[in-house]
Amino acid sequence: ILVQLASSVPFEERNRPFIQKGLDHYFSGDYVSALHLLVPQLEALIRQLLEKAGLAPAKLVRRDNNMWEFESMGTMLSRASKELPDLLPQELKIYVERTLCATTGWNLRNRIAHGMVSQGECNRMTADTVLHLYLSFALFRAERVTGEN
């Protein structure tokens, strides 16, 4: 899985140790640890894909110190649909939203990040779904992202 993922556009080498450790936990049946490693790295992979396709991952927030702030995953996916309509198929966008960030779905990204997921939810079915998303994004090649052949 990691070999296929490493040859895809969104993959960056800095993510490898976390993804490898998450996969090790997955294949040993430790789905709690696997999900807590793989879900944040999946978000990073998606952000990296969108950034490589030309979508800025952060916006300047006018506060006291003009700091940069990352957009929420849901906002970024919605913006990607409008600004890069040919990049993410609508079905994949909905699948990502329902799995990771929609309050009407599993909302895994937020629930894991904020310690609100139960141990019972960290099961094989949930881990399989996250792994399926990884495999979906592993299919992205340069031609699809840049439009070049």
PDB file of all heavy atoms in Angstrom, residues 123-135:
ATOM      1  N   ASN A 123     -12.838   0.462  15.001  1.00  0.00           N
ATOM      2  CA  ASN A 123     -12.926  -0.953  14.669  1.00  0.00           C
ATOM      3  C   ASN A 123     -12.424  -1.207  13.252  1.00  0.00           C
ATOM      4  O   ASN A 123     -12.009  -0.282  12.559  1.00  0.00           O
ATOM      5  CB  ASN A 123     -14.370  -1.437  14.843  1.00  0.00           C
ATOM      6  CG  ASN A 123     -15.338  -0.601  14.029  1.00  0.00           C
ATOM      7  OD1 ASN A 123     -15.072  -0.259  12.877  1.00  0.00           O
ATOM      8  ND2 ASN A 123     -16.466  -0.251  14.620  1.00  0.00           N
ATOM      9  N   ARG A 124     -12.479  -2.445  12.842  1.00  0.00           N
ATOM     10  CA  ARG A 124     -11.949  -2.795  11.519  1.00  0.00           C
ATOM     11  C   ARG A 124     -12.710  -2.107  10.388  1.00  0.00           C
ATOM     12  O   ARG A 124     -12.119  -1.669   9.413  1.00  0.00           O
ATOM     13  CB  ARG A 124     -11.971  -4.307  11.326  1.00  0.00           C
ATOM     14  CG  ARG A 124     -11.363  -4.660   9.985  1.00  0.00           C
ATOM     15  CD  ARG A 124     -11.086  -6.093   9.814  1.00  0.00           C
ATOM     16  NE  ARG A 124     -10.455  -6.255   8.509  1.00  0.00           N
ATOM     17  CZ  ARG A 124     -10.014  -7.391   8.074  1.00  0.00           C
ATOM     18  NH1 ARG A 124     -10.109  -8.460   8.817  1.00  0.00           N
ATOM     19  NH2 ARG A 124      -9.464  -7.463   6.895  1.00  0.00           N
ATOM     20  N   MET A 125     -14.030  -2.007  10.505  1.00  0.00           N
ATOM     21  CA  MET A 125     -14.804  -1.375   9.442  1.00  0.00           C
ATOM     22  C   MET A 125     -14.384   0.091   9.252  1.00  0.00           C
ATOM     23  O   MET A 125     -14.195   0.552   8.124  1.00  0.00           O
ATOM     24  CB  MET A 125     -16.299  -1.436   9.735  1.00  0.00           C
ATOM     25  CG  MET A 125     -17.152  -0.827   8.620  1.00  0.00           C
ATOM     26  SD  MET A 125     -18.903  -0.755   9.013  1.00  0.00           S
ATOM     27  CE  MET A 125     -18.933   0.589  10.171  1.00  0.00           C
ATOM     28  N   THR A 126     -14.210   0.803  10.348  1.00  0.00           N
ATOM     29  CA  THR A 126     -13.797   2.205  10.262  1.00  0.00           C
ATOM     30  C   THR A 126     -12.395   2.296   9.676  1.00  0.00           C
ATOM     31  O   THR A 126     -12.135   3.113   8.787  1.00  0.00           O
ATOM     32  CB  THR A 126     -13.851   2.863  11.655  1.00  0.00           C
ATOM     33  OG1 THR A 126     -15.153   2.682  12.203  1.00  0.00           O
ATOM     34  CG2 THR A 126     -13.537   4.336  11.577  1.00  0.00           C
ATOM     35  N   ALA A 127     -11.495   1.447  10.152  1.00  0.00           N
ATOM     36  CA  ALA A 127     -10.117   1.449   9.644  1.00  0.00           C
ATOM     37  C   ALA A 127     -10.081   1.051   8.170  1.00  0.00           C
ATOM     38  O   ALA A 127      -9.319   1.631   7.383  1.00  0.00           O
ATOM     39  CB  ALA A 127      -9.253   0.516  10.484  1.00  0.00           C
ATOM     40  N   ASP A 128     -10.909   0.091   7.771  1.00  0.00           N
ATOM     41  CA  ASP A 128     -10.980  -0.301   6.352  1.00  0.00           C
ATOM     42  C   ASP A 128     -11.430   0.871   5.483  1.00  0.00           C
ATOM     43  O   ASP A 128     -10.926   1.064   4.373  1.00  0.00           O
ATOM     44  CB  ASP A 128     -11.967  -1.456   6.160  1.00  0.00           C
ATOM     45  CG  ASP A 128     -11.424  -2.802   6.616  1.00  0.00           C
ATOM     46  OD1 ASP A 128     -10.223  -2.908   6.925  1.00  0.00           O
ATOM     47  OD2 ASP A 128     -12.238  -3.760   6.682  1.00  0.00           O
ATOM     48  N   THR A 129     -12.382   1.644   5.980  1.00  0.00           N
ATOM     49  CA  THR A 129     -12.877   2.799   5.224  1.00  0.00           C
ATOM     50  C   THR A 129     -11.765   3.827   5.038  1.00  0.00           C
ATOM     51  O   THR A 129     -11.580   4.362   3.941  1.00  0.00           O
ATOM     52  CB  THR A 129     -14.091   3.429   5.944  1.00  0.00           C
ATOM     53  OG1 THR A 129     -15.111   2.435   6.069  1.00  0.00           O
ATOM     54  CG2 THR A 129     -14.622   4.634   5.190  1.00  0.00           C
ATOM     55  N   VAL A 130     -11.013   4.092   6.085  1.00  0.00           N
ATOM     56  CA  VAL A 130      -9.898   5.041   5.992  1.00  0.00           C
ATOM     57  C   VAL A 130      -8.842   4.505   5.029  1.00  0.00           C
ATOM     58  O   VAL A 130      -8.320   5.250   4.191  1.00  0.00           O
ATOM     59  CB  VAL A 130      -9.309   5.334   7.392  1.00  0.00           C
ATOM     60  CG1 VAL A 130      -7.997   6.105   7.291  1.00  0.00           C
ATOM     61  CG2 VAL A 130     -10.326   6.114   8.226  1.00  0.00           C
ATOM     62  N   LEU A 131      -8.558   3.222   5.103  1.00  0.00           N
ATOM     63  CA  LEU A 131      -7.590   2.628   4.179  1.00  0.00           C
ATOM     64  C   LEU A 131      -8.089   2.725   2.737  1.00  0.00           C
ATOM     65  O   LEU A 131      -7.295   2.993   1.822  1.00  0.00           O
ATOM     66  CB  LEU A 131      -7.351   1.170   4.558  1.00  0.00           C
ATOM     67  CG  LEU A 131      -5.938   0.659   4.337  1.00  0.00           C
ATOM     68  CD1 LEU A 131      -4.931   1.479   5.115  1.00  0.00           C
ATOM     69  CD2 LEU A 131      -5.841  -0.792   4.707  1.00  0.00           C
ATOM     70  N   HIS A 132      -9.383   2.539   2.536  1.00  0.00           N
ATOM     71  CA  HIS A 132      -9.944   2.675   1.190  1.00  0.00           C
ATOM     72  C   HIS A 132      -9.764   4.094   0.665  1.00  0.00           C
ATOM     73  O   HIS A 132      -9.476   4.304  -0.517  1.00  0.00           O
ATOM     74  CB  HIS A 132     -11.425   2.268   1.190  1.00  0.00           C
ATOM     75  CG  HIS A 132     -12.018   2.280  -0.170  1.00  0.00           C
ATOM     76  ND1 HIS A 132     -12.882   3.271  -0.583  1.00  0.00           N
ATOM     77  CD2 HIS A 132     -11.846   1.445  -1.217  1.00  0.00           C
ATOM     78  CE1 HIS A 132     -13.226   3.030  -1.844  1.00  0.00           C
ATOM     79  NE2 HIS A 132     -12.622   1.935  -2.246  1.00  0.00           N
ATOM     80  N   LEU A 133      -9.928   5.078   1.531  1.00  0.00           N
ATOM     81  CA  LEU A 133      -9.683   6.466   1.108  1.00  0.00           C
ATOM     82  C   LEU A 133      -8.218   6.659   0.714  1.00  0.00           C
ATOM     83  O   LEU A 133      -7.925   7.329  -0.276  1.00  0.00           O
ATOM     84  CB  LEU A 133     -10.084   7.441   2.211  1.00  0.00           C
ATOM     85  CG  LEU A 133     -11.574   7.727   2.311  1.00  0.00           C
ATOM     86  CD1 LEU A 133     -11.887   8.508   3.581  1.00  0.00           C
ATOM     87  CD2 LEU A 133     -12.066   8.481   1.086  1.00  0.00           C
ATOM     88  N   TYR A 134      -7.303   6.094   1.470  1.00  0.00           N
ATOM     89  CA  TYR A 134      -5.880   6.167   1.098  1.00  0.00           C
ATOM     90  C   TYR A 134      -5.663   5.587  -0.292  1.00  0.00           C
ATOM     91  O   TYR A 134      -4.983   6.183  -1.126  1.00  0.00           O
ATOM     92  CB  TYR A 134      -5.007   5.394   2.097  1.00  0.00           C
ATOM     93  CG  TYR A 134      -4.465   6.232   3.222  1.00  0.00           C
ATOM     94  CD1 TYR A 134      -5.117   6.293   4.447  1.00  0.00           C
ATOM     95  CD2 TYR A 134      -3.300   6.966   3.065  1.00  0.00           C
ATOM     96  CE1 TYR A 134      -4.617   7.056   5.484  1.00  0.00           C
ATOM     97  CE2 TYR A 134      -2.791   7.732   4.102  1.00  0.00           C
ATOM     98  CZ  TYR A 134      -3.455   7.774   5.306  1.00  0.00           C
ATOM     99  OH  TYR A 134      -2.963   8.543   6.321  1.00  0.00           O
ATOM    100  N   LEU A 135      -6.247   4.422  -0.538  1.00  0.00           N
ATOM    101  CA  LEU A 135      -6.082   3.792  -1.843  1.00  0.00           C
ATOM    102  C   LEU A 135      -6.701   4.639  -2.953  1.00  0.00           C
ATOM    103  O   LEU A 135      -6.163   4.702  -4.064  1.00  0.00           O
ATOM    104  CB  LEU A 135      -6.686   2.384  -1.828  1.00  0.00           C
ATOM    105  CG  LEU A 135      -5.938   1.393  -0.937  1.00  0.00           C
ATOM    106  CD1 LEU A 135      -6.741   0.098  -0.804  1.00  0.00           C
ATOM    107  CD2 LEU A 135      -4.552   1.118  -1.470  1.00  0.00           C
TER     108      LEU A 135
END
